[in-house]
Amino acid sequence: MGEEGGGIMRRRRGCTFQKNDFLPEESFKSWGNYTRALMDTPGRLKDRVLTRSDERVEVVEMRARSSHEMKKALNWWDLMWFGIGAVIGAGIFVLTGVEAREVAGPAVILSYVVSGISALLSVFCYTEFAVEIPVAGGSFAYLRVELGDFVAFIAAGNILLEYIVSCAAVARSWTSYFATLCNKNPNDFRIVVHDMNPNYGHLDPIAVLVLAIICILAVYSTKGSSVFNYIASVVHMVIIVFIIIVGLLHAKPQNYEPFAPFGARGVFQASAVLYFAYVGFDAVATMAEETKNPSRDIPIGLVGSMLITTAAYCSLAATLCLMQPYSAIDINAPFSAAFSAIGWDWAKYIVALGALKGMTTVLLVSAVGQARYLTHIARTHMMPPWFALVDEHTGTPVNATIAMVVASAVIAFFTDLQILSNLLSISTLFIFMFVAVALLVRRYYSSGVTTKGNQIKLIVFILLIIGSSCGISCYWALSDRWIGYAIFGPIWALATGGLWLLVPQAKQPKLWGVPLVPWLPSISIFINIFLLGSIDKDSFIRFAIWTVFLLVYYILFGLHASYDTAKESETQSSTEKELNKLEDGVVSST
């Protein structure tokens, strides 16, 4: 990372270390300074917790802290295929069977529609921010601008952990599907250490090798990663089309009877699970800094990829339920078993190949996205600035990419897939919810424009929207009755309507905006909170433990590093303004 002394940036290459790469701030120059900083923690918390960043700071000043610019090499076509590659993985080949047989029946098609619409609302919120604030930080940058440093750091810290764990889980799955292609048992490709705990004693060198190759691709070139992702995604889509066409040739319409054997509740329960099949598009938003024309490319890329993904999911679900009665679907390998039932046993290899291709692109896009999250966090000095370095030749964040992939590789090498699956994070839903809240704040609050009365109304209405959504989510999880919906539903509607009618919008989007504000962001808040009710207890425990760790890190290091950096930046800005005034005075006097 280039040093920021006196405004001088020294150009360097990635993966090198210098004296001030990790704790260069004034608070860490000596033990005395650090002790004084810790003593001043309450004051610094008060200063930083609710402090909102400025858009210009995120777009201009933060980029300068990476020493070199990321290359603007992506267009809407690249982003659309990145979106498809990020979302369509191996899950579609497993989740569909489980939900069709045990939860929704053939109506699982409607579950995918509901989930797709829900995901599209989050895509809309992300798109407005990505167009207006085209930086690598994604949701971290958006939340910093609208909700402040603290919320942004806690949210981004959780999503980084989710990226690391999910990449490790996908890498372990990659080995399993590769074994299927080779007609072997997955443990044939693993090193079994009998003296270790079985959950950590099946060492997976193939998972590490796959992640190493993905890391090289992600570091070498964003455009090169895009080309690879495009080719792999096209192959994946061809396999999906093959499955659909062959399946429909053996379709039996009577298999759709009964269409919804578990009723409407089954449809919505399945949609809560299937929503996770759409997760991944947020990684694409982190590529806004490398997009040639953000105002055009990002909306087309993100929305287009979500529409294609939804169509593919619904088509696969419809095909599976037409091939077999829902009660006969194999929950472990639904498509392979369906093809075996029509005498096409060899087709399981096609399904395994499709899953491999899907997991490969998911790993690639995740590696690219998670590195950009870490890069922008490091630009604020909440994480060591070494991670913010962008390589001069590749135009990619080399240090952040390698660090994140190495973390995933270590976990993937040792940890059993079941353990990783149980760590399925709730972070994504919280992030999506916070981004929707941030969009309402963005539209309805502007410092110096919004009156105190309207500010209070905004806070009350947002709290009512969140509270009523929590009420519906809890009631759905705990009761089969209807009285709770009759109470919390009207509260949500009145709060959203009150925001719409009683609080004037303080800001309009300059380039591209979410339609029907506040209704669509409010629906997005409700859906994401509602889906939290379907998450298991272990995930909430993990979320709480990791959040406590983030709080400790923030109070001991992140707070003081970002505080010093912010104050230094403010001092430099004030000095520049004074110099400009002096220069203007000299010019006017002459």
Side-chain angles (χ1 to χ4, degrees):
M1 178 66 200
E3 294 182 34
E4 297 181 47
I8 299 173
M9 299 293 293
R10 298 176 184 174
R11 296 188 174 274
R12 302 169 41 189
R13 292 212 61 183
C15 286
T16 58
F17 298 90
Q18 289 184 359
K19 181 180 178 181
N20 290 328
D21 277 338
F22 290 91
L23 292 171
E25 299 80 18
E26 187 63 32
S27 293
F28 305 101
K29 295 289 186 183
S30 67
W31 283 107
N33 285 6
Y34 185 53
T35 302
R36 284 190 290 273
L38 288 178
M39 295 289 289
D40 192 35
T41 295
R44 294 186 173 199
L45 272 173
K46 184 179 179 181
D47 179 85
R48 299 306 306 165
V49 164
L50 295 178
T51 299
R52 302 161 76 217
S53 181
D54 184 80
E55 287 183 29
R56 187 196 65 80
V57 171
E58 296 298 313
V59 175
V60 179
E61 184 177 322
M62 290 298 170
R63 289 184 182 182
R65 294 179 185 176
S66 285
S67 187
H68 306 290
E69 289 279 336
M70 294 186 189
K71 293 181 179 178
K72 290 185 175 294
L74 305 177
N75 55 32
W76 66 268
W77 183 258
D78 298 306
L79 295 180
M80 186 172 69
W81 284 102
F82 263 131
I84 293 169
V87 175
I88 303 181
I92 177 62
F93 297 115
V94 178
L95 288 175
T96 305
V98 175
E99 300 307 309
R101 176 166 175 168
E102 299 182 347
V103 184
V108 70
I109 305 164
L110 300 181
S111 300
Y112 270 117
V113 172
V114 172
S115 300
I117 293 172
S118 305
L120 190 60
L121 295 178
S122 293
V123 166
F124 278 148
C125 296
Y126 265 82
T127 300
E128 178 169 331
F129 275 114
V131 168
E132 298 281 327
I133 311 173
V135 294
S139 56
F140 172 74
Y142 315 152
L143 295 179
R144 244 172 68 86
V145 169
E146 301 301 338
L147 301 183
D149 269 12
F150 180 72
V151 171
F153 177 76
I154 297 300
N158 270 285
I159 208 165
L160 283 179
L161 177 67
E162 181 184 3
Y163 268 124
I164 291 172
V165 172
S166 64
C167 278
V170 173
R172 296 280 297 200
S173 295
W174 201 101
T175 302
S176 298
Y177 277 92
F178 180 71
T180 300
L181 267 182
C182 299
N183 209 22
K184 298 280 187 180
N185 185 293
N187 284 335
D188 292 341
F189 294 99
R190 293 181 177 134
I191 302 168
V192 180
V193 182
H194 298 286
D195 294 335
M196 290 180 66
N197 185 317
N199 291 326
Y200 304 97
H202 291 70
L203 310 184
D204 197 332
I206 290 182
V208 174
L209 177 63
V210 169
L211 284 170
I213 294 171
I214 291 295
C215 182
I216 292 170
L217 274 171
V219 164
Y220 176 70
S221 165
T222 304
K223 186 65 177 180
S225 298
S226 174
V227 172
F228 177 85
N229 171 76
Y230 168 65
I231 295 170
S233 296
V234 167
V235 172
H236 194 190
M237 293 301 291
V238 168
I239 291 172
I240 288 174
V241 170
F242 165 81
I243 293 171
I244 292 170
I245 292 174
V246 174
L248 292 179
L249 290 175
H250 295 83
K252 296 178 181 178
Q254 62 267 29
N255 288 337
Y256 269 10
E257 298 175 3
F259 183 70
F262 302 97
R265 189 174 186 85
V267 172
F268 286 103
Q269 281 182 329
S271 69
V273 175
L274 296 175
Y275 185 81
F276 293 101
Y278 290 91
V279 170
F281 67 83
D282 52 312
V284 182
T286 67
M287 302 174 199
E289 193 170 316
E290 296 155 276
T291 303
K292 295 176 182 177
N293 186 353
S295 62
R296 180 198 67 184
D297 296 338
I298 293 173
I300 296 174
L302 277 174
V303 176
S305 63
M306 191 55 58
L307 293 175
I308 292 171
T309 298
T310 302
Y313 283 175
C314 291
S315 299
L316 280 169
T319 301
L320 179 64
C321 293
L322 281 169
M323 291 178 71
Q324 285 185 301
Y326 79 91
S327 58
I329 292 174
D330 186 318
I331 62 173
N332 295 312
F335 287 94
S336 297
F339 279 112
S340 295
I342 62 172
W344 288 36
D345 287 318
W346 56 269
K348 71 177 182 181
Y349 299 109
I350 301 294
V351 175
L353 180 61
L356 271 182
K357 292 291 185 181
M359 286 186 288
T360 303
T361 56
V362 166
L363 284 173
L364 177 61
V365 181
S366 295
V368 172
Q370 67 190 12
R372 280 142 186 81
Y373 265 113
L374 180 56
T375 297
H376 204 74
I377 296 171
R379 287 170 173 173
T380 68
H381 286 220
M382 290 185 192
M383 290 290 285
W386 183 75
F387 293 112
L389 178 65
V390 172
D391 187 82
E392 180 178 8
H393 298 285
T394 65
T396 59
V398 174
N399 299 341
T401 304
I402 293 174
M404 293 296 289
V405 174
V406 166
S408 292
V410 170
I411 295 173
F413 186 61
F414 290 101
T415 313
D416 183 74
L417 181 60
Q418 186 61 43
I419 299 295
L420 295 174
S421 298
N422 289 338
L423 288 173
L424 176 66
S425 179
I426 57 178
S427 304
T428 298
L429 292 176
F430 271 103
I431 290 281
F432 290 173
M433 184 271 289
F434 275 131
V435 169
V437 170
L439 184 66
L440 291 178
V441 173
R442 181 176 182 80
R443 289 291 192 94
Y444 287 94
Y445 176 77
S446 180
S447 181
V449 176
T450 305
T451 64
K452 189 68 175 178
N454 285 332
Q455 185 178 345
I456 293 172
K457 291 178 191 175
L458 173 63
I459 294 171
V460 169
F461 286 138
I462 288 178
L463 290 177
L464 284 173
I465 289 170
I466 294 173
S468 58
S469 300
C470 290
I472 294 173
S473 178
C474 292
Y475 197 75
W476 171 269
L478 301 174
S479 175
D480 291 328
R481 301 175 67 84
W482 58 270
I483 187 67
Y485 307 123
I487 296 173
F488 294 114
I491 293 175
W492 175 87
L494 288 172
T496 306
L499 184 58
W500 181 44
L501 294 172
L502 302 178
V503 183
Q505 290 195 30
K507 195 183 300 181
Q508 291 293 330
K510 302 170 187 174
L511 301 170
W512 191 94
V514 176
L516 300 177
V517 173
W519 294 99
L520 291 191
S522 183
I523 293 172
S524 183
I525 292 170
F526 161 71
I527 288 171
N528 287 299
I529 291 177
F530 176 78
L531 293 177
L532 285 170
S534 69
I535 304 298
D536 61 281
K537 182 180 71 174
D538 289 341
S539 290
F540 277 99
I541 293 173
R542 187 226 43 91
F543 180 80
I545 292 172
W546 180 244
T547 299
V548 169
F549 172 79
L550 290 173
L551 284 170
V552 172
Y553 172 85
Y554 184 75
I555 290 173
L556 294 180
F557 297 101
L559 168 65
H560 308 294
S562 61
Y563 177 87
D564 288 349
T565 305
K567 293 307 176 184
E568 181 182 347
S569 177
E570 289 171 8
T571 301
Q572 289 179 352
S573 296
S574 298
T575 303
E576 289 174 2
K577 288 179 181 179
E578 291 298 323
L579 288 174
N580 289 335
K581 286 181 181 179
L582 288 173
E583 290 175 359
D584 291 341
V586 171
V587 171
S588 60
S589 64
T590 55

